Amino acid sequence: MKRILFLMLLPFTVAQAQVTIAPAFPERGQTVTVTYNPDGKGIPADAAEVTLVFPYSTFYDVPYRIKMKAQNGVWTTSFKLARYATFASFYLQSGEAVNRPAPDELYEVCVYKDKVPVCNAELHRAYSLGSAMGKSPQLGARQEEQYRKELKRYPDNYEAKVRLLAYQMNKAKTPKEKAKFRAEAHRVIADKFKTAATVPGDMNKVTMGYLIIGENSRLDSIRAVALERYPHTGLGRDLLTSAIAREKDTAKQIARYEAALKEENRENAADFDGMHERLFALYAARKDSAKALYHARFFSFPKDDSPYYPEKLKDIAQALLDNGIALDTARMFASRSLAMAERFPVGIIRYFPETGYIYPYATDSARQVVYNTAKGNLHSMLALIDMKQGKDAAAAKRMEQAIKSSIDKETVDNATLFYSATGRTRELQELEALRERDMQARIAKQEIRKPAPPLNTFVDMNGRPLDPASLKGKIVVIDFWATWCIPCMQEMPYLQKLYDQYRNDPDVAFMIVNSGARNTLADAQGWSGNKKYTFPVYYNTDPAIGDKFKFTVIPATYVIDKSGHIRFGNIGFEGPDVEMKLRLQIEMARNKE
């Protein structure tokens, strides 16, 4: 019998799982090890490299892409779970090849405490399912299951309650049933609102609750209620500060802020920092240096561990410089900020009342870029202060130091201002050439070569389908945007300038494509920019275009070469640099043919 049992178990004991995660129930503070045994499925067995990719993760201090290490044909990587970690999902990638447990699944690392998922782990697993399942019709039901699991273990989880109720509202079969779930959601949000005056972050959770159930219009009214109900709390004063800032008459703003400050005392002083910041800016704009500096002293000294303190000092110095007042004090603030250049924030820093500031993972090279940029900005600012004080020789030396640190846009703009104002034509020309060489080097590292999706789902503003054959043999610049996208609108003037440079070039075609999920062809036709800009505008008829081009954020701009391959992809608006960047990308695509 024992022999038979051994034979039955043997296949299971010698077989090795393709991907293993250890320990089985990882806890915060522990190190997780992921091991991959290639079997040729998805990723070739002889792959030169394998990367672990997190499409969803609350492991903020862990890179979202980790190169695994190979040893004896097995790939491994390890990372430590931070005090706030809850859940992450991942897949493995080698070039274009991907390994997943199933087409609609990802590998998962759930965080436990005594073999029980920690609070929010199941909730965050629900969020991760979108990355795994895409637009599957089963997504909602799978997420509902996770919300219920979360609430079974943690019945007071506010966000899970609201998410579940929002799902039930959407699935309700009758108006009466939908109204019942909405009323319950209102009750849950109202209960959270009762703590908003005393618990930091609760007001954000209240507004988030209304966003989840689709009642965006209630945000202003709930803030107004909070201001009326809790006027003498930190929350109330923050809301009052924002409300007064919306006043168009700056004289009335000043009067209201000064009146509110009469309630300030030693115990509640922190509640008024926002008002002092606003008054500093308002008085600086009026060139009233005495009053501006009076208010600056209330928020220009560190009161907590905020990673944004060095930036705050820089902003104070910039406001004084821009308005030409208190230049010695501006120098002092800029110098203090420069001394803390290596404390400037790198990446997206999150803040939760329960955890405090959460610093993201960043490579040493990424950190150095941020630090060098801060140094370039501040050296160039100090050079402009020198110039305004008649110290051109000192300013020239300082500006040279700034350019050696960084040639980002802000530093270059400051240098351009200085060289233009002081008649330094040669330095101005050298600066422009240096900036272009630097951008060429950066975009060369971003070059890719993968087939572009078919360009057969676009219509012009008359509703006529675009003939893809008309683009054959051309470099295509395609920009996806929407009428409601503010960064898209900010980008348009630069796209027009670029188009003007190439409008008569037979080898280059432009497609400015309205692709917003909430836009229709009528929206695109009625866009005011149609009268303002002359580049060709199209409308996208394919709701899956984002998946095909791999973008989730707009504007998204691609440069496609003459052979139909995407050479460059640009996500988001990058400011005025976009004009030069796209021009260089077009020429690089042309020269690679």
Side-chain angles (χ1 to χ4, degrees):
M1 184 67 185
K2 289 182 179 179
R3 181 177 178 82
I4 296 174
L5 179 62
F6 173 76
L7 291 173
M8 291 174 64
L9 291 177
L10 184 60
F12 297 92
T13 57
V14 298
Q16 291 183 319
Q18 192 176 16
V19 174
T20 57
I21 301 168
F25 300 97
E27 299 192 5
R28 290 165 176 166
Q30 292 183 337
T31 296
V32 173
T33 298
V34 178
T35 303
Y36 170 52
N37 289 288
D39 64 356
K41 294 179 180 179
I43 292 178
D46 60 349
E49 65 176 36
V50 176
T51 302
L52 184 153
V53 183
F54 290 107
Y56 181 90
S57 173
T58 63
F59 307 165
Y60 303 121
D61 59 339
V62 175
Y64 79 96
R65 296 179 65 89
I66 306 175
K67 286 190 175 182
M68 303 183 77
K69 296 180 179 179
Q71 186 173 8
N72 299 324
V74 176
W75 297 85
T76 64
T77 191
S78 299
F79 46 87
K80 188 175 182 179
L81 298 177
R83 69 188 189 283
Y84 46 77
T86 59
F87 184 89
S89 58
F90 69 90
Y91 60 86
L92 303 180
Q93 183 176 30
S94 180
E96 294 295 317
V98 171
N99 178 278
R100 297 161 59 127
D104 63 345
E105 294 181 12
L106 295 172
Y107 298 108
E108 300 175 347
V109 179
C110 184
V111 182
Y112 296 82
K113 177 66 175 175
D114 298 330
K115 296 186 177 182
V116 175
V118 297
C119 183
N120 286 325
E122 301 283 13
L123 173 68
H124 292 160
R125 183 173 189 269
Y127 294 163
S128 79
L129 290 173
S131 300
M133 302 177 66
K135 298 180 179 179
S136 167
Q138 303 301 318
L139 176 61
R142 289 277 302 277
Q143 289 179 321
E144 178 196 20
E145 180 184 355
Q146 294 306 128
Y147 302 148
R148 291 188 183 280
K149 284 183 179 180
E150 179 71 30
L151 289 168
K152 185 175 181 180
R153 291 190 178 96
Y154 303 100
D156 294 329
N157 190 313
Y158 165 77
E159 192 170 339
K161 288 181 184 178
V162 179
R163 289 287 181 186
L164 177 58
L165 288 165
Y167 174 78
Q168 291 172 318
M169 285 166 52
N170 291 333
K171 296 296 290 184
K173 296 180 179 179
T174 65
K176 183 178 180 180
E177 187 181 11
K178 186 170 187 174
K180 181 188 76 171
F181 290 127
R182 186 176 295 279
E184 178 62 14
H186 285 167
R187 186 193 64 76
V188 171
I189 297 171
D191 288 345
K192 176 60 66 175
F193 181 55
K194 293 176 184 177
T195 66
T198 56
V199 179
D202 271 7
M203 190 61 192
N204 287 338
K205 292 182 179 181
V206 170
T207 55
M208 177 186 67
Y210 284 118
L211 290 173
I212 289 172
I213 65 173
E215 297 187 13
N216 305 31
S217 60
R218 292 181 65 103
L219 301 191
D220 287 340
S221 61
I222 198 66
R223 292 186 182 112
V225 172
L227 177 57
E228 179 182 354
R229 189 175 297 179
Y230 310 118
H232 303 299
T233 65
L235 169 67
R237 289 175 177 124
D238 281 346
L239 292 171
L240 179 60
T241 300
S242 299
I244 295 174
R246 291 192 287 271
E247 169 63 60
K248 294 182 180 180
D249 188 326
T250 57
K252 290 181 179 178
Q253 279 192 46
I254 290 173
R256 292 183 65 187
Y257 283 131
E258 295 285 14
L261 285 173
K262 292 179 180 179
E263 295 183 2
E264 185 179 19
N265 56 50
R266 184 174 296 180
E267 286 71 29
N268 64 16
D271 296 349
F272 293 88
D273 283 355
M275 294 188 188
H276 286 296
E277 285 197 53
R278 285 293 305 154
L279 283 168
F280 162 74
L282 290 165
Y283 281 125
R286 292 184 169 210
K287 304 189 186 303
D288 188 332
S289 59
K291 289 185 177 179
L293 296 180
Y294 168 79
H295 289 287
R297 71 186 180 91
F298 286 92
F299 63 91
S300 60
F301 294 95
K303 295 182 180 180
D304 55 23
D305 61 345
S306 171
Y308 302 105
Y309 179 63
E311 284 187 328
K312 182 172 290 187
L313 297 178
K314 177 175 178 281
D315 290 343
I316 296 171
Q318 188 70 59
L320 296 174
L321 171 61
D322 289 344
N323 291 288
I325 60 173
L327 294 179
D328 286 334
T329 305
R331 182 188 302 280
M332 180 268 291
F333 280 119
S335 298
R336 283 174 57 191
S337 183
L338 179 59
M340 292 185 283
E342 297 195 357
R343 286 177 50 190
F344 269 64
V346 181
I348 300 174
I349 295 177
R350 294 167 173 82
Y351 178 84
F352 300 108
E354 302 85 358
T355 62
Y357 291 103
I358 296 177
Y359 295 83
Y361 169 82
T363 62
D364 290 341
S365 59
R367 290 184 185 281
Q368 200 57 54
V369 167
V370 171
Y371 303 153
N372 289 344
T373 299
K375 291 174 184 177
N377 293 168
L378 288 157
H379 278 304
S380 64
M381 183 190 297
L382 286 163
L384 293 180
I385 293 172
D386 282 336
M387 182 186 73
K388 283 186 174 286
Q389 293 184 325
K391 305 173 185 177
D392 285 3
K397 289 182 179 180
R398 177 76 80 169
M399 197 62 79
E400 184 179 347
Q401 191 173 6
I403 294 169
K404 286 180 179 178
S405 297
S406 174
I407 51 172
D408 66 286
K409 182 179 183 303
E410 183 176 330
T411 301
V412 169
D413 284 351
N414 286 344
T416 300
L417 177 61
F418 170 69
Y419 292 142
S420 298
T422 57
R424 288 171 162 79
T425 305
R426 178 179 59 81
E427 288 89 342
L428 195 60
Q429 293 172 342
E430 290 175 350
L431 177 64
E432 185 63 19
L434 178 63
R435 180 168 171 258
E436 184 160 320
R437 287 197 302 273
D438 176 73
M439 184 168 287
Q440 280 180 326
R442 284 190 283 122
I443 65 175
K445 297 177 182 178
Q446 301 168 358
E447 186 175 13
I448 56 178
R449 192 177 190 276
K450 60 182 182 181
L455 303 180
N456 57 3
T457 62
F458 309 109
V459 299
D460 64 19
M461 289 300 94
N462 292 314
R464 295 182 299 239
L466 169 73
D467 181 6
S470 66
L471 303 175
K472 190 173 182 179
K474 294 187 177 184
I475 294 170
V476 180
V477 180
I478 182 166
D479 177 78
F480 294 100
W481 61 282
T483 56
W484 43 260
C485 169
I486 294 176
C488 300
M489 297 301 102
Q490 294 171 330
E491 184 183 51
M492 292 302 177
Y494 304 103
L495 291 178
Q496 178 66 52
K497 289 180 182 178
L498 185 71
Y499 174 71
D500 288 341
Q501 296 172 44
Y502 288 95
R503 66 190 313 158
N504 297 318
D505 190 326
D507 292 333
V508 182
F510 281 73
M511 295 179 63
I512 313 302
V513 181
N514 186 307
S515 61
R518 302 194 298 272
N519 276 176
T520 63
L521 176 58
D523 293 325
Q525 292 169 334
W527 179 48
S528 60
N530 291 325
K531 299 177 181 179
K532 184 176 181 180
Y533 302 114
T534 59
F535 47 60
V537 178
Y538 297 88
Y539 176 72
N540 164 51
T541 63
D542 181 7
I545 197 68
D547 293 335
K548 293 176 180 177
F549 271 89
K550 307 299 183 187
F551 69 85
T552 57
V553 174
I554 52 175
T557 310
Y558 297 87
V559 176
I560 302 172
D561 66 19
K562 293 182 179 181
S563 64
H565 290 84
I566 296 176
R567 287 287 187 171
F568 298 98
N570 308 279
I571 306 299
F573 175 51
E574 302 178 63
D577 281 353
V578 68
E579 180 186 346
M580 178 190 288
K581 184 176 184 179
L582 288 173
R583 174 173 59 79
L584 293 174
Q585 289 177 347
I586 291 170
E587 295 308 316
M588 197 171 292
R590 191 201 300 269
N591 294 334
K592 289 292 179 71
E593 290 302 319

